[in-house]
Amino acid sequence: MAEISATSFPSSSSSALLFRSSHNGSSKCQNVACPRTTSQFQELSVRRSQIVGNAVFTGHASASRSCKNQAIRAVLSSDGTALANDSKEAGLRGKLKKVVLAYSGGLDTSVIVPWLKENYGCEVVCFTADVGQGIKELDGLEQKAKASGASQLVVKDLTEEFVKDYIFPCLRAGAIYERKYLLGTSMARPVIAKAMVDVAAEVGADAVAHGCTGKGNDQVRFELTFFSLNPELKVVAPWREWEIQGREDAIEYAKKHNVPVPVTKKSIYSRDRNLWHLSHEGDLLEDPANEPKKDMYMLSVDPEDAPDQPEYIEIGIESGLPVALNGKALSPATLLTELNTIGGKHGIGRIDMVENRLVGMKSRGVYETPGGTILFAAVQELESLTLDRESIQVKDSLALKYAEMVYAGRWFDPLRESMDAFMEKITETTTGSVTLKLYKGSVSVTARKSPNSLYRQDISSFEGSEIYNQADAAGFIRLYGLPMRVRAMLEKGI
């Protein structure tokens, strides 16, 4: 149960709104909104009910919360009202009622807020997803959203859902794009976009917006998810509409609309981080001939500087999905978090590649995926015990298409869902454990075992076996090689 209460301060006549969440009789303060005058608070009490994330705020200061593991914050708008009044006037480009914006707090999304209000005459609800990008990227978002003119900020913790429902299915499928890319950004976009569709329904929005450029893959990934889950939502992509051409234009627009410009030093790289990976693009990386600088990496040490002693770890797997580390059962997100730390310490998971973007151009990116690299090695190795030759070949062939669909943003496509059902079925016996040796950037398999292993030592041994008669091989070879023999006979006129 959640509640809003007004607290008076002795030193002034103002009040503050406190969002408190209670469960099983306990109360825990989640957030403190900005101070308001008594008259403003009285005005708020007669406003209509508003839904924020999964909590419903009403004038009687009561609310309910339906989903666990979701952090939700409500932010007041910059003019002191709890929610912006619906404007009856259209903007420069048309009229929308309310837009849910994928919001990071950076320069681009900060200027998108006033741009949406100016061009579409709408209320803007900012949405931020926590997919494990780090607490620093979430600091101060309430203040930034308020200063930009947003009426609300909704923050949801999606880390467990991200790992369990998006990362692990790709891991089970063996999905790798163009031989190297472990799909870190590709998997994160549909879970974020799905949450945006949910928030749009909760707050009564008629449109969603994102800050993706018109040159990248992410615009496709976001919008295909929107189309799949709610085709009635309008989609606004400012980078495909506005006149802003770069950072300096954005700063000028921000100043004109009194939006505080972020004072943090601008990275020379374009980065995307989540619990699975960290990507680096831009600047000197745009020339494939340039070696990445040593100080660019953030999740992993240089393999040359990694410990001189190897570390052995054991990954427990059930039906193709990791469940334990060194004998300890862990949740999906916790398991991945610990492996990121261990792998990063040993310089595991650095990938430098030139990839083919969906929109047609090539791009060069450097990826750090320490925990993911370890998990891929473990799962694939266990499959060598539990899957037969034909199953592995079919699974690997489908994995290529699976990865292509995820990369292209077709997560909710029935074809991917059907392939996922196959992957779940084919790996239901892939249970066991794999021991790995981590040393200076490398992952080596040292042991693997499974109660469902198809490996039989009594058959594979060079010693005699009652099951396998070596003399049977002669007839097999003659039949197996018959097509080749017939072709050779034709060529030689026999």
Side-chain angles (χ1 to χ4, degrees):
M1 185 65 69
E3 65 179 24
I4 298 179
S5 60
T7 302
S8 299
F9 295 89
S11 60
S12 69
S13 61
S14 64
S15 298
L17 294 179
L18 300 180
F19 171 40
R20 297 183 180 278
S21 175
S22 59
H23 182 64
N24 295 332
S26 63
S27 179
K28 182 179 179 182
C29 181
Q30 297 293 325
N31 226 342
V32 180
C34 302
R36 304 174 60 81
T37 64
T38 303
S39 61
Q40 287 174 324
F41 181 75
Q42 292 172 343
E43 179 183 356
L44 171 63
S45 67
V46 299
R47 291 186 181 273
R48 60 182 175 87
S49 298
Q50 298 291 342
I51 300 174
V52 182
N54 291 308
V56 181
F57 292 78
T58 71
H60 295 87
S62 65
S64 65
R65 187 173 184 174
S66 60
C67 295
K68 295 185 291 184
N69 299 325
Q70 291 187 337
I72 302 173
R73 301 183 177 95
V75 181
L76 306 179
S77 65
S78 57
D79 61 2
T81 59
L83 290 171
N85 291 325
D86 292 338
S87 172
K88 296 182 180 180
E89 296 182 2
L92 300 177
R93 297 171 184 266
K95 174 60 184 167
L96 294 172
K97 176 185 175 183
K98 189 181 296 185
V99 178
V100 175
L101 168 66
Y103 182 75
S104 67
L107 177 61
D108 290 355
T109 53
S110 292
V111 299
I112 287 177
V113 175
W115 185 88
L116 287 171
K117 296 174 70 174
E118 178 182 28
N119 286 272
Y120 289 97
C122 58
E123 175 187 334
V124 179
V125 175
C126 289
F127 171 73
T128 300
D130 181 359
V131 287
Q133 62 265 47
I135 190 63
K136 289 184 178 180
E137 294 196 22
L138 299 175
D139 286 345
L141 285 183
E142 292 91 345
Q143 294 81 359
K144 292 178 181 178
K146 174 187 173 183
S148 297
S151 63
Q152 304 175 52
L153 171 68
V154 179
V155 180
K156 290 192 176 185
D157 183 356
L158 305 177
T159 50
E160 286 291 351
E161 179 184 359
F162 176 41
V163 181
K164 177 178 176 291
D165 296 337
Y166 294 80
I167 290 177
F168 275 14
C170 287
L171 175 65
R172 177 176 59 199
I176 301 176
Y177 182 72
E178 294 192 341
R179 306 169 185 164
K180 290 184 177 181
Y181 180 41
L182 300 184
L183 300 169
T185 300
S186 310
M187 295 183 295
R189 295 309 181 236
V191 70
I192 295 172
K194 176 181 176 293
M196 289 179 66
V197 173
D198 293 340
V199 171
E202 291 161 1
V203 302
D206 56 340
V208 286
H210 60 76
C212 307
T213 71
K215 283 189 174 183
N217 299 312
D218 282 345
Q219 57 181 335
V220 182
R221 295 163 180 160
F222 272 104
E223 294 181 31
L224 291 191
T225 301
F226 298 150
F227 296 160
S228 297
L229 302 182
N230 188 350
E232 294 182 346
L233 280 174
K234 299 178 179 64
V235 180
V236 183
W239 274 104
R240 302 201 299 254
E241 297 184 30
W242 63 16
E243 288 74 31
I244 295 175
Q245 296 297 313
R247 182 173 175 81
E248 294 305 318
D249 288 348
I251 292 175
E252 186 65 28
Y253 186 90
K255 291 180 178 179
K256 179 181 177 182
H257 291 79
N258 298 317
V259 175
V261 177
V263 295
T264 55
K265 182 179 178 181
K266 173 67 175 178
S267 172
I268 63 174
Y269 302 105
S270 173
R271 289 187 168 105
D272 176 71
R273 183 172 183 172
N274 58 51
L275 196 56
W276 183 249
H277 87 158
L278 172 63
S279 65
H280 312 265
E281 294 181 335
D283 198 65
L284 62 86
L285 296 180
E286 292 183 349
D287 184 349
N290 291 332
E291 180 181 5
K293 291 184 177 180
K294 189 172 183 177
D295 61 1
M296 179 192 72
Y297 295 93
M298 301 174 66
L299 298 185
S300 58
V301 302
D302 191 313
E304 297 176 355
D305 301 325
D308 293 328
Q309 296 299 320
E311 181 173 355
Y312 291 83
I313 62 173
E314 183 184 61
I315 306 296
I317 299 168
E318 291 183 5
S319 298
L321 299 176
V323 295
L325 174 62
N326 295 329
K328 181 180 179 181
L330 299 171
S331 74
T334 303
L335 175 60
L336 180 55
T337 299
E338 294 201 16
L339 286 177
N340 280 336
T341 301
I342 296 172
K345 179 177 67 175
H346 291 280
I348 305 296
R350 293 184 172 189
I351 295 295
D352 184 344
M353 68 178 292
V354 174
E355 68 193 65
N356 290 291
R357 286 185 178 175
L358 180 63
V359 293
M361 69 184 74
K362 287 184 179 290
S363 66
R364 192 260 189 109
V366 176
Y367 303 96
E368 296 179 80
T369 318
T373 300
I374 293 172
L375 289 177
F376 257 92
V379 172
Q380 290 187 351
E381 190 62 30
L382 191 60
E383 288 179 352
S384 69
L385 290 181
T386 62
L387 300 183
D388 59 54
R389 178 179 59 200
E390 296 294 332
S391 295
I392 289 178
Q393 290 176 353
V394 172
K395 183 176 183 293
D396 286 351
S397 65
L398 287 177
L400 295 175
K401 183 63 179 178
Y402 193 108
E404 178 186 331
M405 296 191 72
V406 174
Y407 186 83
R410 296 172 62 186
W411 184 269
F412 295 99
D413 191 299
L415 177 56
R416 188 212 63 85
E417 294 171 343
S418 298
M419 287 193 294
D420 199 53
F422 166 82
M423 297 300 179
E424 183 177 3
K425 177 64 179 178
I426 203 69
T427 59
E428 62 183 3
T429 61
T430 303
T431 295
S433 63
V434 176
T435 301
L436 303 167
K437 175 182 176 181
L438 312 180
Y439 182 66
K440 292 189 177 295
S442 67
V443 181
S444 304
V445 177
T446 61
R448 75 287 283 161
K449 54 187 176 181
S450 171
N452 304 318
S453 176
L454 298 177
Y455 178 86
R456 289 282 300 266
Q457 185 175 352
D458 58 341
I459 297 177
S460 302
S461 173
F462 286 105
E463 302 298 328
S465 171
E466 295 182 359
I467 299 177
Y468 190 96
N469 186 343
Q470 296 189 42
D472 293 340
F476 166 75
I477 295 172
R478 283 195 296 270
L479 293 178
Y480 185 70
L482 182 60
M484 301 176 66
R485 188 176 184 182
V486 170
R487 181 176 295 278
M489 292 172 64
L490 174 64
E491 293 174 349
K492 296 181 178 298
I494 298 176

